[in-house]
Amino acid sequence: MAQTSHGVGGVGYDAKKRAWPAELNVFLALVILVVVFELIGRIFLGDSFLFNTRSDVSAIFNEARLQIIILQVSIVGIIAIGVTQVIITGGIDLSSGSIVGATAMIAMSFAQVATVNGNPNPKAMFLAQGWTDLPVIVPVLVAIGCGLFAGLVNGALIAYTRIPPFIATLGMMVTARGIAKWWSKGQPISFPTEGFAAIGKGLMPVIIFLSLAVLFQLIMTYTRYGKHCYAIGSNEDAARMSGIKIANHKILVYVIAGVLAALAAVVLSSKNLTAQSGMGVMYELDAIAMAVIGGVSLSGGRGSIIGTVIGSLIFGVIISGFTFLRLDAYYQEMVKGVIIVGAVVLDQWRQRLRAMRA
Amino acid sequence: MSDIVLKTENLTKRYGGVHALEGANFELRKGEHVAIMGDNGAGKSTFVRQITAVEQRTSGQIWFDGKEVNFAGPIEARTAGIETVFQNLALADDLDVPSNLFLGREKVLFNLGPFSILDRKYMRKATEAALIRTAVKIPNLSNTIRHMSGGQRQCVAIARTATFASKLIIMDEPTAALGVQETAQVENIIRTLKDNGEPLILISHNMRQVFDLCDRIVVFRRGRIVANLRKQDTDGNDIVSYITGAKTGEAELAA
Ligand SMILES: Nc1ncnc2c1ncn2[C@@H]1O[C@H](COP(=O)(O)OP(=O)(O)OP(=O)(O)O)[C@@H](O)[C@H]1O
Ligand SMILES: [Mg+2]
């Protein structure tokens, strides 16, 4: 087979050498996980994890469970879309959870009604200024502005001072959480307008999550921005020598991540009908875990939004699987820690395997 | 003079206290293939990095294509017509062959700023054409280059310079990691460039290769140009004595 690897001329194709898409492995893991829960359920509980077992409902699947699985991951999933881009570029964003907290507080203050049950809204931040009952676009734009600003600070710090992304975003994590607490002196902000409340109603979080996922999957695959994300994460020096403007690109990546975290804050506070300063705590780790489970390499250059979406589903299946098995919430949290570390170990392992084959 | 493609005067680069390049005066004429030789750390790659503006020089002047230039970065140098195969390859492992060939100058369908839509079909076609032209054989274009052999990767980097019209090609040790067959292939590409009258700067430690391919040899030693000799006026031993410092002082071309 010297013909295929040595310079005889022309381009050769060898179908066998086509890379097996990493997303397929992740999807396989998802399927296996579901099957495992299904088997455990059937054997030990006499109940089905995935399928409908109630005679009064005519459906093949247990739709309630499917909804819960995807609904509970969709908000963190929105963050994970941005985190994926950051990690592919070779960075990390630890600030997303705090950006959610700060943005939820600030945006919600512009989404409040003037009167509750005929009385002035007791929680209204800007009642005196008359900034109540504003059109829904106002709090949404405020939120986007918050995310944009936080992302800009993250990106500029990383691009210009060259401090490691880990440190820069850790600083933002602490600061943004501080802002979230300071904003209303720790008080929750509630009573949003109907328009604002509609954003996170029912399956809206899922729809928003999946639309954004499709949008960014296309962007990562078909645009120059996406190509440069992979190039920088893969070999930053090569990207620089090829003339890619690294600083600008990094700033853009962190801005996008910030804005996505802000959108997650809008959806979350709308869904909960309230904003609290503790919102989004640890979301950054969940988002990173979703990405890493989905095959995004922490060393940069590899992964995809589709992978992260599948990773988020794995995350959701594990959490609802534990509920299904009636395991205590404490166990869930402990297992989440194991998943996060496990995903990173898996990533390292994958890389070592790859290095061995190369 | 109008047939000078590249000229540097007193080109100097210091990294803190390290004098990597000191007062380099260099000239390259139309259609000329010049070799740069010198020991490890002599300043050869540093010289290339100043010309291509990968780094900003400490002092000195550069003329390219008839005018003085002050490139702000590698993309400006490239736009002006300098194509470079860097010593450390400058390839992105996780991208496929077309993406690497077009890295930093992707062909786009619609211009939407950073979100411009890529013309993937065009880039793939152009890549195939470039590989055929340079007789480079790659198993599968859509695979990432991570698992490709050193030779194949080098060939991708060289095919890249051959894909885009240029006024000067610089290759920094293009055959250092290659086997006999791949080296011959790269040398063939260089001969083709010579036949087409395209000027080239070739950095190499391979004496046979340099005498085979180049018209003139410039020797660097400890950041300085210590010799500038026409091929017919010198031989391997002479060059080695300049490289090692047994012979010193700038040997000028017999005018
Ligand atoms: N970024 C840098 N910072 C400090 N010193 C540097 C830097 N880059 C190069 N040098 C030093 O400058 C000198 C010249 O390096 P250069 O890479 O130009 O050598 P070279 O002639 O290309 O050698 P080789 O044949 O090994 O490629 C070396 O002493 C090197 O250590
Ligand atoms: Mg060198």
Side-chain angles (χ1 to χ4, degrees):
Chain A
M1 289 301 281
Q3 286 265 311
T4 51
S5 56
H6 291 291
V8 185
V11 184
Y13 296 102
D14 185 345
K16 276 174 294 182
K17 296 215 169 166
R18 186 155 304 164
W20 169 267
E23 288 81 8
L24 232 52
N25 288 336
V26 185
F27 186 72
L28 225 61
L30 174 64
V31 172
I32 290 169
L33 201 62
V34 170
V35 170
V36 166
F37 277 123
E38 185 69 31
L39 287 178
I40 295 177
R42 297 265 172 163
I43 294 167
F44 295 104
L45 304 175
D47 192 7
S48 169
F49 178 62
L50 196 60
F51 298 98
N52 177 37
T53 46
R54 284 165 60 187
S55 51
D56 56 325
V57 184
S58 67
I60 302 171
F61 293 107
N62 184 337
E63 278 166 19
R65 175 129 48 229
L66 291 183
Q67 280 187 16
I68 290 170
I69 290 175
I70 181 148
L71 192 61
Q72 72 187 354
V73 297
S74 54
I75 288 171
V76 180
I78 295 172
I79 301 170
I81 294 171
V83 167
T84 300
Q85 297 167 49
V86 169
I87 299 178
I88 286 175
T89 320
I92 194 85
D93 190 350
L94 297 180
S95 66
S96 8
S98 297
I99 293 178
V100 168
T103 305
M105 298 299 281
I106 298 171
M108 187 58 121
S109 322
F110 293 91
Q112 293 178 294
V113 290
T115 52
V116 180
N117 301 328
N119 299 315
N121 182 349
K123 300 273 185 213
M125 287 288 288
F126 297 123
L127 197 61
Q129 289 88 339
W131 296 346
T132 46
D133 293 310
L134 297 169
V136 64
I137 188 76
V138 175
V140 171
L141 285 181
V142 167
I144 289 174
C146 292
L148 204 135
F149 178 73
L152 204 63
V153 173
N154 277 339
L157 273 175
I158 290 157
Y160 294 125
T161 71
R162 305 272 183 98
I163 53 177
F166 172 78
I167 301 296
T169 57
L170 188 75
M172 177 58 72
M173 172 188 177
V174 177
T175 307
R177 184 63 63 194
I179 292 173
K181 290 176 184 161
W182 159 81
W183 183 255
S184 63
K185 309 292 175 280
Q187 293 300 308
I189 302 176
S190 315
F191 304 116
T193 59
E194 254 175 55
F196 190 79
I199 297 174
K201 222 176 214 158
L203 282 182
M204 278 302 282
V206 177
I207 294 167
I208 294 172
F209 168 44
L210 293 181
S211 318
L212 287 169
V214 169
L215 175 70
F216 278 99
Q217 173 65 31
L218 293 175
I219 286 178
M220 291 302 280
T221 321
Y222 292 104
T223 72
R224 187 189 278 159
Y225 166 84
K227 197 59 81 185
H228 289 183
C229 282
Y230 287 99
I232 293 172
S234 180
N235 186 344
E236 192 168 325
D237 289 331
R240 183 175 299 112
M241 283 196 217
S242 304
I244 296 173
K245 296 198 173 78
I246 310 278
N248 292 3
H249 187 92
K250 282 189 177 172
I251 292 172
L252 183 56
V253 170
Y254 283 94
V255 163
I256 287 175
V259 169
L260 284 167
L263 290 179
V266 169
V267 177
L268 179 64
S269 54
S270 159
K271 180 168 169 257
N272 293 359
L273 301 175
T274 178
Q276 281 164 0
S277 59
M279 262 176 167
V281 168
M282 295 295 202
Y283 277 19
E284 61 278 337
L285 294 185
D286 289 358
I288 292 168
M290 286 174 183
V292 175
I293 293 170
V296 181
S297 167
L298 280 174
S299 49
R302 278 191 303 271
S304 67
I305 306 289
I306 293 185
T308 298
V309 171
I310 304 172
S312 73
L313 291 179
I314 291 182
F315 207 81
V317 164
I318 292 175
I319 304 291
S320 10
F322 274 70
T323 318
F324 166 67
L325 299 179
R326 298 188 199 112
L327 286 171
D328 207 274
Y330 300 120
Y331 293 120
Q332 284 185 27
E333 237 170 78
M334 287 183 232
V335 165
K336 223 152 110 180
V338 174
I339 297 171
I340 292 172
V341 176
V344 177
V345 171
L346 196 72
D347 175 44
Q348 303 278 336
W349 188 59
R350 267 195 304 242
Q351 278 173 47
R352 217 167 306 147
L353 214 74
R354 208 174 265 126
M356 261 160 52
R357 270 186 311 206
Chain B
M1 264 213 278
S2 63
D3 67 338
I4 292 179
V5 177
L6 177 79
K7 178 177 159 159
T8 71
E9 229 174 73
N10 277 320
L11 195 59
T12 298
K13 176 69 183 180
R14 301 201 178 108
Y15 301 103
V18 182
H19 296 211
L21 187 68
E22 277 291 320
N25 297 318
F26 180 92
E27 261 180 30
L28 181 79
R29 283 155 200 280
K30 276 214 173 97
E32 205 181 14
H33 281 198
V34 172
I36 293 182
M37 301 195 78
D39 253 341
N40 297 120
K44 307 180 296 294
S45 300
T46 305
F47 180 68
V48 172
R49 287 196 295 267
Q50 310 317 305
I51 294 173
T52 51
V54 170
E55 295 168 352
Q56 287 304 320
R57 57 188 184 262
T58 308
S59 62
Q61 286 161 291
I62 302 172
W63 288 264
F64 178 68
D65 198 23
K67 46 190 181 296
E68 189 172 356
V69 289
N70 285 300
F71 301 128
I75 203 147
E76 275 188 23
R78 212 169 55 186
T79 312
I82 302 178
E83 283 293 332
T84 313
V85 179
F86 290 101
Q87 186 168 17
N88 46 6
L89 286 183
L91 297 176
D93 276 348
D94 298 301
L95 298 183
D96 60 11
V97 179
S99 305
N100 265 296
L101 235 71
F102 283 87
L103 193 58
R105 52 184 149 181
E106 293 80 4
K107 172 101 168 123
V108 298
L109 279 176
F110 316 105
N111 197 342
L112 302 166
F115 300 107
S116 298
I117 312 287
L118 300 171
D119 190 345
R120 309 203 313 166
K121 216 177 194 169
Y122 171 89
M123 291 194 279
R124 198 189 160 85
K125 285 261 159 62
T127 304
E128 285 177 12
L131 294 182
I132 289 168
R133 209 166 42 244
T134 51
V136 171
K137 191 99 177 166
I138 301 287
N140 191 326
L141 282 190
S142 337
N143 282 359
T144 64
I145 63 162
R146 179 172 293 278
H147 300 310
M148 289 184 188
S149 74
Q152 289 170 332
R153 295 159 56 90
Q154 193 73 54
C155 288
V156 170
I158 289 166
R160 174 156 70 176
T161 61
T163 308
F164 301 93
S166 63
K167 294 173 182 150
L168 167 63
I169 294 178
I170 303 175
M171 296 188 186
D172 194 348
E173 303 194 28
T175 60
L178 300 193
V180 179
Q181 217 173 351
E182 288 90 348
T183 302
Q185 193 181 324
V186 169
E187 289 175 354
N188 277 332
I189 297 173
I190 294 175
R191 281 193 196 94
T192 313
L193 295 172
K194 179 77 186 164
D195 293 343
N196 297 342
E198 299 199 43
L200 171 99
I201 297 174
L202 172 70
I203 297 179
S204 175
H205 291 287
N206 183 334
M207 199 67 75
R208 192 242 349 123
Q209 180 176 68
V210 163
F211 274 90
D212 269 4
L213 299 172
C214 297
D215 310 309
R216 194 151 58 82
I217 299 160
V218 169
V219 179
F220 276 62
R221 179 171 166 76
R222 296 187 176 160
R224 291 176 185 279
I225 294 180
V226 293
N228 177 9
L229 301 156
R230 267 200 302 254
K231 179 165 70 179
Q232 58 268 31
D233 300 335
T234 181
D235 58 36
N237 289 333
D238 193 36
I239 297 292
V240 169
S241 53
Y242 280 112
I243 291 175
T244 57
K247 261 187 174 179
T248 49
E250 183 161 349
E252 277 300 337
L253 286 173

